[in-house]
Amino acid sequence: MSKILFVMTGVDHWTLADGTKHPTGFWAEEAVAPYEAFKAAGHEIVVATPGGVVPTVDKGSLAPEVNGGQEGSDKIAAALASMAEIQTPIRLEDVNLDDYEAVFYPGGHGPMEDLAVNATSGKILTDTLASGKPLGVVCHAPAALLAATKADGSNAFAGYQVAAFTNAEETQAGFADKAKWLLQTRLEEAGVDVQVGEPWAPHVVIDRNLVTGQNPASSGPLAAELLKKLG
């Protein structure tokens, strides 16, 4: 069975345009749904974060209203609590890509704060892309693609078709006018071809070895596509 690297945000906040720190981290469903799919298929998972800090879950992602009610909320909280690997992450700086058959980045607003400017993560993304290994990135995690720059300063993902959290969704979520920058806009400025789907509906885009999802609802379908690539 394969070993899959989960690269996760190490922060518990997202700095807004006015300087306030919005509490966040990773989005529960975007870690839980792929984790459960990969584990069910018999794969091993290793979590890595900048500095090896234990990742923080965005409390909003555990709320009943985003999990189809209290039962769904309880279920995802229990699933999260059972994910031992999240409590024992390795340092992103110590990752050896040769140890893994696939790489996956869950989202949440956290990656907008740290992974978007993390050169170590950027190199992991660039190297994974070049290796041909399956690479999955969902929701706000494509912010990490912004740090994947080549020697000539261009973005390694320029020209790739991707799905990412859209400006429309950020507006509906109430953050578009508070954010320092918008993910879709910044990706497009870097030359990435953002494929926009319906807000909040599952939307997965596959381009070569890259599999991306637009929002939390896309994380399960993305995991299924990544598993197909693992064969």
Side-chain angles (χ1 to χ4, degrees):
M1 289 290 106
S2 300
K3 192 185 276 192
I4 301 173
L5 178 70
F6 270 44
V7 177
M8 301 182 68
T9 178
V11 297
D12 61 4
H13 67 276
W14 175 36
T15 308
L16 302 177
D18 66 359
T20 59
K21 293 184 176 182
H22 172 69
T24 186
F26 69 90
W27 197 261
E29 181 181 0
E30 295 167 28
V32 169
Y35 177 93
E36 291 183 334
F38 299 151
K39 284 291 221 181
H43 300 301
E44 183 183 343
I45 290 167
V46 174
V47 172
T49 62
V53 303
V54 175
T56 299
V57 65
D58 186 317
K59 298 292 191 293
S61 68
L62 300 174
E65 53 268 30
V66 297
N67 290 291
Q70 189 61 48
E71 187 179 339
S73 175
D74 293 345
K75 188 177 173 187
I76 204 155
L80 204 55
S82 71
M83 290 166 62
E85 294 89 342
I86 280 191
Q87 300 305 317
T88 55
I90 64 170
R91 296 171 71 246
L92 194 58
E93 299 78 5
D94 296 336
V95 166
N96 179 354
L97 200 54
D98 293 341
D99 296 339
Y100 305 96
E101 280 71 42
V103 177
F104 173 69
Y105 277 65
H109 277 114
M112 300 275 282
E113 183 79 18
D114 62 349
L115 298 181
V117 293
N118 187 297
T120 303
S121 168
K123 186 173 186 330
I124 288 171
L125 286 165
T126 304
D127 292 349
T128 306
L129 196 64
S131 74
K133 293 178 182 183
L135 171 61
V137 193
V138 70
C139 200
H140 283 94
L145 308 189
L146 298 171
T149 48
K150 297 194 279 194
D152 64 2
S154 66
N155 191 282
F157 292 84
Y160 274 79
Q161 293 191 341
V162 307
F165 202 70
T166 63
N167 291 354
E169 286 168 319
E170 203 69 86
T171 300
Q172 291 175 23
F175 286 108
D177 59 346
K178 300 175 184 174
K180 286 183 182 177
W181 49 273
L182 296 175
L183 179 57
Q184 179 189 335
T185 300
R186 188 64 70 84
L187 287 169
E188 289 170 346
E189 288 171 353
V192 180
D193 183 4
V194 180
Q195 301 287 303
V196 177
E198 287 296 315
W200 313 109
H203 179 56
V204 174
V205 173
I206 303 168
D207 189 345
R208 288 155 276 187
N209 57 319
L210 177 64
V211 184
T212 49
Q214 180 171 309
N215 46 36
S218 306
S219 48
L222 183 155
E225 294 297 338
L226 214 58
L227 285 171
K228 285 183 199 170
K229 286 192 172 292
L230 274 171

